[in-house]
């Protein structure tokens, strides 16, 4: 059985005080959520303070990115995986569509970042997904397959099992336009089948594939009923403890 993951991506929001206040408010609201793993991804500056506040709780802390390098060195502005671990994180988001679109994170960079995360024992949450033009042209599966092939290049099946994938159609992020559970299920099933073909059946059946893009308390239950959706990566609706806790505590 795949344990679902509900992850909140706070993007470039919240000063340290606000991040700690939100984490503090969230703690009791999700304390009984044993049905899933709960993850929040504050900005770099708040990671340590949030992780300290959540110590001993069932909430895991994730970074939103990491350096592709595994050795400390002259890489101004970059944050190494062991620094992220040192701040109290267990997870790291890699290849979010905003990083791909705005900061040059190609599939090759994503591949190096996945390796760096695995090297340091961090769980990578690897984002993939097509744009609206690509979907309208009938190329959604082809685009996702290419992202997977290049992002997961030369990884072994046992490494792939340690990854979490997040299918986030770019047209659904921050737009209020969620993929229907059927659209999402179709792509998740495609991804799982692709993993089975390229790696093995165990990797495919164990791999957790999250859906992301305008997930809200109102649509999480329908999404979670789909056979191949193993959780959600939530942006906007994760910023408030109350709404994120309603997503974590979805009816199932
Ligand atoms: P959203 O963002 O929930 O605000 O659409 C999702 C994401 O970017 O991970």
């Amino acid at each position: 059985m795949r344990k679902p993951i509900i992850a909140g991506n706070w993007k470039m929001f919240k000063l340290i005080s606000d991040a700690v206040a939100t984490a503090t408010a969230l703690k009791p609201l999700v304390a009984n959520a044993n049905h899933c793993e709960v993850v929040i991804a504050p900005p770099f500056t708040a990671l340590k303070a949030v992780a300290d506040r959540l110590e001993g709780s069932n909430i895991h802390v994730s970074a939103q990115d990491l350096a592709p390098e595994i050795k400390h060195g002259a890489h101004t502005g970059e944050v190494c995986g062991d620094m992220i671990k040192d701040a109290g994180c267990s997870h790291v988001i890699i290849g979010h569509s905003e990083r791909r679109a705005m900061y040059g994170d190609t599939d090759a960079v994503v591949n190096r970042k996945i390796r760096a995360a695995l090297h340091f024992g961090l769980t990578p949450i690897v984002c993939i997904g097509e744009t609206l033009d690509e979907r309208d042209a009938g190329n959604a599966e082809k685009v996702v397959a290419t992202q997977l092939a290049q992002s997961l290049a030369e990884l072994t099946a046992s490494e792939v099992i340690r990854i979490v994938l997040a299918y986030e159609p770019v047209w659904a992020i921050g737009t209020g336009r969620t993929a229907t559970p059927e659209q999402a299920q179709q792509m998740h099933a495609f991804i799982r089948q692709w993993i089975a073909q390229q790696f093995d059946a165990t990797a495919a059946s164990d791999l957790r594939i999250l859906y992301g893009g305008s997930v809200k308390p109102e649509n999480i239950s329908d999404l979670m009923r789909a056979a191949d959706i193993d959780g959600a990566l939530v942006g906007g609706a994760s910023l408030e403890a109350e709404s994120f806790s309603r997503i974590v505590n979805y009816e199932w």
Side-chain angles (χ1 to χ4, degrees):
M1 271 305 284
R2 299 184 294 267
K3 190 165 190 183
I5 300 177
I6 305 290
N9 172 13
W10 289 357
K11 308 193 177 185
M12 199 177 76
F13 291 101
K14 295 185 186 294
L15 302 181
I16 297 171
S17 55
D18 185 15
V20 170
T22 306
T24 306
L26 186 63
K27 210 160 118 169
L29 297 175
V30 301
N32 297 322
N34 301 317
H35 60 286
C36 68
E37 288 173 19
V38 185
V39 180
I40 53 172
F44 278 128
T45 47
L47 288 177
K48 173 87 171 96
V50 166
D52 283 351
R53 178 57 59 96
L54 293 177
E55 214 184 313
S57 81
N58 60 335
I59 306 174
H60 303 273
V61 181
S62 174
Q64 300 173 15
D65 191 26
L66 87 169
E69 286 79 19
I70 56 171
K71 279 208 183 128
H72 294 182
H75 303 291
T76 302
E78 290 295 306
V79 181
C80 192
D82 61 347
M83 298 171 181
I84 288 167
K85 264 203 116 163
D86 192 36
C89 294
S90 51
H91 294 64
V92 58
I93 298 171
I94 296 176
H96 190 278
S97 65
E98 288 151 16
R99 294 218 54 86
R100 290 172 181 269
M102 292 186 262
Y103 303 102
D105 281 16
T106 60
D107 288 320
V109 171
V110 169
N111 180 265
R112 290 180 62 211
K113 289 183 174 182
I114 293 172
R115 290 166 188 280
L118 293 175
H119 175 83
F120 290 114
L122 290 161
T123 299
I125 302 175
V126 180
C127 304
I128 48 175
E130 80 287 356
T131 64
L132 190 55
D133 284 352
E134 290 163 342
R135 173 160 285 261
D136 287 347
N139 290 333
E141 289 185 353
K142 208 170 111 197
V143 167
V144 167
T146 303
Q147 289 174 335
L148 286 169
Q150 295 180 359
S151 303
L152 306 182
E154 286 170 44
L155 295 181
T156 63
S158 59
E159 286 172 324
V160 167
I161 292 173
R162 292 165 56 201
I163 293 174
V164 176
L165 286 179
Y167 169 58
E168 299 207 305
V170 177
W171 47 272
I173 296 177
T175 57
R177 184 178 159 185
T178 327
T180 63
E182 294 72 28
Q183 280 172 323
Q185 165 58 26
Q186 197 177 4
M187 185 61 87
H188 283 225
F190 170 79
I191 294 168
R192 204 176 297 288
Q193 196 182 17
W194 189 93
I195 295 287
Q197 276 162 8
Q198 304 294 322
F199 294 94
D200 60 36
T202 311
S205 68
D206 286 359
L207 183 77
R208 287 174 296 179
I209 310 173
L210 316 184
Y211 167 78
S214 298
V215 173
K216 308 249 171 319
E218 294 73 33
N219 58 26
I220 182 68
S221 292
D222 283 345
L223 288 162
M224 291 305 295
R225 280 185 203 109
D228 288 293
I229 299 183
D230 307 313
L233 181 55
V234 186
S238 73
L239 291 171
E240 301 284 339
E242 204 269 334
S243 84
F244 187 56
S245 73
R246 283 168 59 208
I247 296 174
V248 169
N249 298 315
Y250 62 90
E251 275 180 40
W252 51 291

